[in-house]
Amino acid sequence: MLILSRKIGESIVIQVGNRKIKLIMVEQDNGSMKIGFEAPKDIKIYREEVYEEIVKQNKAALESDVKRLGKIKTSIPKFAGKDNKQST
Amino acid sequence: MIKEYETKLGSVKIDTERTIIFEYGIPGFENLKQFVLLEPEDTYPIMWLASLEDKNVAFPVTFPQLIRNDYQFTLPQDLTEYLELAKPEDAIILSILTIPEKEDEITINLAAPIIISQKNRKGVQYLIENEEYKIRHLLKEELERSKAILSVQKDGE
C-alpha cells in the first residue's frame, strides 16, 4: 500500500487513463479526516462500508422467492396505474 | 424489434425498446448492463428487474411509495441530466426487496433506489444521502408506519 503524508489544504491526484480524481484534505478533527473529492461526474464515490452493504443487499435480493411473500403481499397497497412520484 | 431472452422468470419476448441500460452497472453486478422490468400479474406490485445477460439475475422490486407513503428525495442535477429527466414523471423509482424464508424478515432498500429514465431508458442505482433511509428496512414495519400516517391524516379531515 502506498502511504502519503499530506497537510490540510493539500491534495492528492489520482490519474486513470486521461481522467483525474483529486482528493483534498479539508479538515482534521480527533482522528477523523474530512476529505473533499473532485472527479468526473460518472465516477461514483462511496464510503466503503455503505458500498459493501449495497452489494450485500443486492446479492441477498437474488435469493428472493416471491412465493414467500405470504400475507404481506396482500397488505401492500396497489394504486391504479403506474403512478410514480419523485420530488425534484 | 421483438427478441426472445432467457431470464430468471423463464423465457420472455421483449421489445428491444424496453431494454434498460445500466451503463455504470449495479453494485455487485457491474458487468451486467442490460436489464428489463418484468411485471408479471401474479406478483404485482412486486416486479422484477431482470438481467438480459445473466439468466440467474433478477431483483424483486416495487414502488417505494407503496411501502413508505411519504418517501421522497432530490436527485442531483448531474443525474437528472444524465437520465434526461425534464419532469418527475419521466422517472420510474423502484426499491429492491430481499425476501428470505421468514415473512417477517422481508426487507426493502430505501437508501439506494433504482432510477429508470423513461426518456432515454438508462438506469442507475442511486445512493440517497439521507440518514432516514437505510439499506434494510423491515417491510412489515414500513407498511405499519404508512398505515398509521394514513389513519392520522383521515382523522384530521
Side-chain angles (χ1 to χ4, degrees):
Chain A
M1 185 169 47
L2 170 70
I3 297 173
L4 300 172
S5 176
R6 298 273 69 193
K7 291 193 175 76
I8 299 302
E10 292 181 339
S11 298
I12 291 166
V13 172
I14 299 169
Q15 188 172 349
V16 185
N18 55 6
R19 305 190 333 145
K20 283 180 188 164
I21 303 162
K22 191 168 162 187
L23 284 69
I24 309 130
M25 306 305 125
V26 178
E27 200 184 311
Q28 193 184 5
D29 173 36
N30 278 337
S32 151
M33 276 300 299
K34 272 195 183 148
I35 305 167
F37 294 87
E38 282 176 21
K41 282 174 180 169
D42 57 317
I43 290 182
K44 301 297 165 221
I45 294 153
Y46 300 94
R47 290 176 183 87
E48 187 187 20
E49 64 279 14
V50 176
Y51 181 79
E52 291 304 327
E53 215 179 307
I54 297 174
V55 169
K56 205 172 137 194
Q57 200 269 354
N58 284 349
K59 290 192 171 163
L62 293 192
E63 307 301 318
S64 298
D65 182 346
V66 83
K67 289 188 198 91
R68 298 179 195 144
L69 270 174
K71 287 194 294 282
I72 271 189
K73 190 173 173 266
T74 54
S75 58
I76 299 175
K78 295 184 192 188
F79 38 46
K82 276 144 212 177
D83 174 17
N84 305 292
K85 284 171 226 140
Q86 173 222 343
S87 73
T88 45
Chain B
M1 191 177 67
I2 307 286
K3 262 178 84 176
E4 196 163 347
Y5 294 93
E6 285 302 317
T7 72
K8 201 176 177 182
L9 278 75
S11 169
V12 288
K13 285 193 175 110
I14 296 185
D15 188 334
T16 48
E17 280 181 18
R18 286 188 56 208
T19 307
I20 305 153
I21 304 293
F22 284 77
E23 234 173 341
Y24 304 121
I26 291 175
F29 302 87
E30 280 85 355
N31 57 324
L32 303 176
K33 308 291 184 197
Q34 295 186 46
F35 286 81
V36 69
L37 188 62
L38 301 174
E39 305 170 28
E41 251 178 60
D42 57 335
T43 71
Y44 196 83
I46 313 294
M47 295 159 280
W48 300 84
L49 186 65
S51 167
L52 296 178
E53 295 156 316
D54 182 343
K55 66 177 166 70
N56 297 312
V57 175
F59 302 101
V61 292
T62 194
F63 300 118
Q65 272 114 1
L66 297 182
I67 312 299
R68 181 179 278 222
N69 53 14
D70 54 356
Y71 187 66
Q72 56 174 318
F73 57 89
T74 306
L75 285 178
Q77 199 192 341
D78 60 333
L79 201 54
T80 56
E81 279 169 14
Y82 172 70
L83 298 172
E84 293 173 38
L85 305 176
K87 51 185 191 301
E89 303 81 71
D90 294 341
I92 300 173
I93 311 289
L94 300 166
S95 287
I96 297 181
L97 294 163
T98 303
I99 311 168
E101 269 176 53
K102 286 187 189 152
E103 198 180 309
D104 287 352
E105 292 172 6
I106 298 171
T107 63
I108 181 164
N109 181 347
L110 294 178
I114 298 282
I115 299 158
I116 298 166
S117 167
Q118 311 214 65
K119 286 278 157 175
N120 59 19
R121 305 302 295 170
K122 284 181 183 172
V124 293
Q125 186 170 22
Y126 170 65
L127 178 64
I128 304 173
E129 292 283 342
N130 179 343
E131 293 199 345
E132 226 181 287
Y133 299 140
K134 315 274 184 223
I135 290 165
R136 283 182 201 84
H137 288 269
L138 284 174
L139 188 67
K140 204 178 148 198
E141 282 177 9
E142 287 305 312
L143 287 169
E144 278 163 14
R145 181 188 171 277
S146 291
K147 221 169 152 185
I149 290 174
L150 279 180
S151 71
V152 168
Q153 283 171 351
K154 257 189 190 160
D155 292 346
E157 272 167 19

